[in-house]
Amino acid sequence: MITLTQTEIDTAAGALFRAEAERRQIGLLSIAHPGITLDDAYAVQAALVARKRAAGLGVIGWKIGLTSRAMQQALDITTPDSGILLSDMAFADAATIPPGRFIQPRIEAEIAFVMKAPLSGRQVTRADVLAATEHVAPALEILDTRVLRADPETGRPRRIFDTVADNAANAGIVLGAQRHAPGAFDLRWIGAIVKRDGVVEETGLGAGVLDDPVTGILWLVHRLADYGQGIAAGEVLLSGSFIRPLEAPPGSRFDADFGPFGRVTLTFAEE
């Protein structure tokens, strides 16, 4: 249920849009609007993305977040969230992110799905998802937040509503060079060893994403159906992270080794 007025939705979206452009953070929307709902948060997200599209950006896909039990429990929720990937978020494998590009970037390891056919509707099945997938690939997601992680006065952490409104903390996507048929691997057993500056920081398996990364894609299709939306051919879908987010300060280097599935690297330039 939407409880915010259209003016409140547009004001929040405008504040987030300016915060990203100015590389700064705003206060928690969940404090400014104590009665905010998930529907409100997605309405703010839609208004934010509309502003970005009006500024000339195109949609290249979707991301699914908060798929792990640990992250859901941390935010006291039982459902993932989603956001929209835009054309300025795509970075090449082994890219160096220029200084000042993000506010407080973090990194997650994921399996990406690249679609060859559209998907929409509540009737879509797991088999339909696999049939509509052109290929899967190793990926890194760059997260950033235009909302404070915690309120400086109360110490209260941001909530799911803040994250969803902020386009699910979307900031960037890096696809590895390897491409695989969706049935070539059991994606539940695809894992990654993620190093920062040569030190292993995280490991994980695809099963950490709702027991199967394909389930994440299915969840997204079904959620979009509630809003009369769907997935288009050619879009890239990030199925959800199976590691905790890793801080990415200036000068840090990341190497995600997915074994036979592939490898992705990324560097953040020194300031």
Side-chain angles (χ1 to χ4, degrees), residues 8-219:
E8 289 171 327
I9 290 169
D10 290 339
T11 298
L16 288 164
F17 183 81
R18 291 188 297 274
E20 183 171 2
E22 297 167 6
R23 302 294 185 262
R24 60 178 177 82
Q25 294 174 318
I26 65 172
L28 277 66
L29 298 178
S30 58
I31 289 181
H33 304 284
I36 191 171
T37 67
L38 264 182
D39 285 337
D40 289 326
Y42 277 114
V44 173
Q45 181 189 117
L48 171 61
V49 170
R51 284 176 178 262
K52 292 189 172 192
R53 297 195 69 179
L57 297 180
V59 173
I60 62 171
W62 300 81
K63 65 84 57 96
I64 305 161
L66 304 178
T67 51
S68 74
R69 287 291 294 153
M71 292 299 292
Q72 289 182 6
Q73 289 170 348
L75 289 174
D76 192 26
I77 60 170
T78 57
T79 182
D81 70 354
S82 67
I84 298 173
L85 300 174
L86 297 161
S87 51
D88 66 339
M89 297 178 181
F91 294 90
D93 186 18
T96 297
I97 305 299
R101 175 66 172 80
F102 301 114
I103 303 169
Q104 290 183 337
R106 295 185 292 171
I107 292 295
E108 293 182 333
E110 312 201 11
I111 295 171
F113 290 63
V114 180
M115 311 310 291
K116 63 182 178 182
L119 282 174
S120 63
R122 277 276 172 186
Q123 78 287 349
V124 170
T125 65
R126 184 181 187 280
D128 294 329
V129 170
L130 293 173
T133 301
E134 178 71 33
H135 52 253
V136 290
L140 290 176
E141 181 183 3
I142 306 171
L143 303 174
D144 201 10
T145 177
R146 281 66 61 171
V147 179
L148 290 169
R149 295 187 187 179
D151 179 61
E153 293 186 7
T154 65
R156 177 174 150 184
R158 63 183 174 176
R159 301 178 65 194
I160 179 66
F161 315 107
D162 302 294
T163 301
V164 167
D166 190 22
N167 196 20
N170 266 343
I173 173 177
V174 186
L175 288 183
Q178 300 79 10
R179 301 289 186 267
H180 308 285
F185 289 87
D186 181 347
L187 299 180
R188 296 176 68 248
W189 286 98
I190 294 300
I193 302 167
V194 184
K195 294 181 180 179
R196 180 178 57 201
D197 300 332
V199 177
V200 175
E201 294 284 356
E202 276 290 310
T203 63
L205 288 175
V209 178
L210 302 174
D211 195 35
D212 185 348
V214 179
T215 302
I217 306 301
L218 193 60
W219 172 87

Side-chain angles (χ1 to χ4, degrees), residues 213-233:
V214 179
T215 302
I217 306 301
L218 193 60
W219 172 87
L220 176 64
V221 176
H222 291 170
R223 193 198 76 75
L224 292 178
D226 294 339
Y227 295 84
Q229 298 174 294
I231 292 166

